[in-house]
């Protein structure tokens, strides 16, 4: 079994021992660098959007990502319609990251599917694991949020800025903290317009 196959099955793997993974990483970093250079040049906005669509595994209409943006593979990221990620987004997508429709992500947020063994001798061998992250539809993620491996965030949830999400967050709640936890349901009383 290749290291890439191990990665995709959620097993321990060593990315530095797989030529295909190393090539994918290099291609992805080059596309990210090109996107970050083009994104705010008025004559190249369409080129930047085309690069994003080439980089990501799948993306719905209304895609917008502000530079700088970095990811590991790109092909393991799926975003729904009306996806917005503010400046400084990082998606370490070895385990796969899926976003629903109408997701808003604040600046300096990270989605980290990759982790390393706690035992130093295993970690020093270059071993890592990857667990998928799933973000539902109509989710707002505030500035500086970090989402850890294997987490699911339910539809309509709001994650307060600065939170570190280490476990699943149910649908329709405001969640905050380090570690992030549900604070209360989002209700009709939270509407700001009459």
């Amino acid at each position: 079994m290749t290291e890439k196959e191990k990665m995709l099955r959620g097993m321990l793997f060593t990315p530095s021992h797989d030529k295909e993974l190393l090539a994918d990483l290099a291609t992805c970093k080059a596309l990210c660098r090109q996107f970050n250079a083009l994104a705010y040049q008025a004559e190249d906005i369409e080129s930047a959007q085309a690069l994003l669509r080439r980089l990501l595994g799948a993306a719905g209409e209304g895609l917008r990502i502000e530079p700088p943006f970095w990811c590991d593979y790109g092909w393991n990221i799926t975003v729904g319609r009306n996806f917005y990620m503010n400046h400084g987004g990082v998606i370490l997508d070895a385990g796969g990251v899926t976003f629903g429709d109408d997701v808003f992500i604040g600046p300096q947020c990270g989605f980290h599917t990759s982790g390393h063994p706690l035992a130093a001798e295993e970690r020093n061998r270059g071993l890592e694991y990857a667990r998928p992250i799933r973000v539902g539809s109509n989710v707002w993620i505030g500035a500086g949020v970090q989402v850890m491996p294997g987490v699911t965030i339910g539809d309509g949830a709001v994650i307060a800025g600065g939170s570190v999400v280490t476990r699943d967050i149910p649908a329709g709640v405001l969640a905050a903290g380090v570690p992030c936890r549900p604070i209360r349901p989002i209700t009709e009383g939270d509407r700001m317009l009459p």
Side-chain angles (χ1 to χ4, degrees), residues 10-111:
M11 301 167 65
L12 284 174
F13 70 104
T14 310
S16 62
H17 294 172
D18 190 296
K19 290 181 182 179
E20 185 179 2
L21 282 178
L22 290 172
D24 286 354
L25 279 167
T27 299
C28 182
K29 300 305 180 190
L31 288 172
C32 287
R33 188 171 44 253
Q34 289 173 343
F35 166 74
N36 291 330
L38 288 175
Y40 279 111
Q41 297 177 23
E43 66 277 3
D44 285 326
I45 289 174
E46 286 182 20
S47 297
Q49 285 297 311
L51 275 173
L52 275 180
R53 292 196 177 279
R54 191 169 140 210
L55 179 65
L56 301 177
E61 294 299 316
L63 170 66
R64 183 163 177 196
I65 297 177
E66 307 288 353
F69 168 70
W70 294 99
C71 60
D72 277 345
Y73 300 103
W75 50 259
N76 219 2
I77 301 169
T78 300
V79 302
R81 293 184 321 272
N82 302 319
F83 177 84
Y84 177 79
M85 178 178 264
N86 211 320
H87 299 284
V90 173
I91 302 177
L92 304 183
D93 58 307
V97 181
T98 303
F99 297 95
D101 297 332
D102 300 301
V103 172
F104 299 148
I105 300 171
Q108 304 303 318
C109 289
F111 298 83

Side-chain angles (χ1 to χ4, degrees), residues 155-177:
D155 291 345
V158 174
I159 309 297
S163 296
V164 178
V165 187
T166 59
R167 56 190 137 199
D168 293 353
I169 301 296
V173 299
L174 169 64

